[in-house]
Amino acid sequence: TISEAHYKMAFASDAGGTPFDAETALAGVPGVYVSTSPTGKTVTISIANFNQSGVTAQAKAAAAAAIMPKLASVDVLVDETYAFAPRSYTFDSFKTTYGLNGTEAYNFLTSKRVARVDGSISEGDDLDWYESRIVRPDWAVEGLARFIDPSHTRKYFRNIAENETPIVVAKDSCDLKLPVCDSTAEAAPIKVLAPILEQSNQTSAGARCAVGASALALIARAFL
């Protein structure tokens, strides 16, 4: 599945990248179908189409061989494949999932830019992506922009191609006074995204992004 949810495409653009057009790139690949909704577009590949007897290891390998070369021009690939234990999900896990050996001449491999959204997690392995990112989309843009311009700060995303591991955020690491807990505390303003966009575009405009399991491509939940 390649996710082109509106908010993900906005993140990619605001970070200074060019969202990958999966529908066009995968045109002609067997078993590809596109669904649209008010939240965006999803491009799905039916693995069964590569083996009518069911989803087998051979079918997955055939699907990977047909699909992954279509992503060769992607500079930053975001792998959203579910991992029960995110700390154990490595670059080798990614290559195995997508049928890669790591020597392919794909931009996201040669430049070592494969992102995961489990860059910060709780002690119980819950992803901060589904917590504070909801109210701090500017941090998500900042974290994604780091894959285009390394001067940006790491937020939410980790680069598994560079062997980055999740940062565990412990409950005692929070030293902020929250309005819900302290009546004297005030809500902090959230930055607008424009300054991040402008700065990123000045340094590395046009890097192609794919969002995955979806491709600066977002690849999400591939070959499950």
Side-chain angles (χ1 to χ4, degrees):
T1 302
I2 297 182
S3 170
E4 295 185 0
H6 294 319
Y7 79 92
K8 293 176 181 178
M9 298 299 96
F11 282 169
S13 296
D14 290 349
T18 300
F20 182 69
D21 184 352
E23 182 177 3
T24 299
L26 297 181
V29 174
V32 174
Y33 62 94
V34 180
S35 57
T36 58
S37 73
T39 61
K41 181 191 300 183
T42 300
V43 180
T44 303
I45 299 91
S46 174
I47 305 303
N49 193 79
F50 292 85
N51 186 334
Q52 297 304 317
S53 63
V55 181
T56 65
Q58 292 79 6
K60 291 181 180 181
I67 296 164
M68 297 311 292
K70 303 294 186 179
L71 306 182
S73 65
V74 170
D75 299 304
V76 182
L77 187 140
V78 183
D79 174 24
E80 296 184 293
T81 302
Y82 172 75
F84 176 76
R87 305 181 213 199
S88 300
Y89 194 97
T90 65
F91 190 43
D92 286 338
S93 306
F94 164 77
K95 289 185 290 185
T96 298
T97 298
Y98 292 96
L100 304 171
N101 60 36
T103 62
E104 294 86 354
Y106 301 162
N107 287 3
F108 59 86
L109 291 179
T110 57
S111 64
K112 294 186 176 182
R113 291 189 286 185
V114 179
R116 292 274 298 172
V117 297
D118 55 10
S120 54
I121 60 176
S122 72
E123 294 168 291
D125 286 346
D126 297 308
L127 275 57
D128 197 19
W129 177 258
Y130 298 113
E131 299 293 339
S132 67
R133 190 267 308 170
I134 305 300
V135 294
R136 292 306 305 252
D138 57 314
W139 286 357
V141 173
E142 176 73 16
L144 191 55
R146 182 175 70 102
F147 287 80
I148 299 172
D149 175 6
S151 68
H152 289 278
T153 303
R154 173 176 170 172
K155 295 286 187 181
Y156 301 119
F157 297 92
R158 66 180 173 113
N159 189 350
I160 56 175
E162 293 286 4
N163 298 316
E164 291 181 349
T165 57
I167 296 172
V168 179
V169 181
K171 60 183 179 181
D172 57 3
S173 65
C174 181
D175 56 4
L176 295 176
K177 289 183 179 181
L178 302 178
V180 69
C181 302
D182 188 335
S183 61
T184 65
E186 296 183 357
I190 296 176
K191 293 192 304 181
V192 297
L193 302 184
I196 296 176
L197 171 61
E198 180 180 357
Q199 183 179 29
S200 296
N201 282 343
Q202 289 174 349
T203 56
S204 185
R208 300 190 68 195
C209 299
V211 180
S214 302
L216 256 318
L218 296 183
I219 316 182
R221 301 174 299 281
F223 312 142
L224 297 183

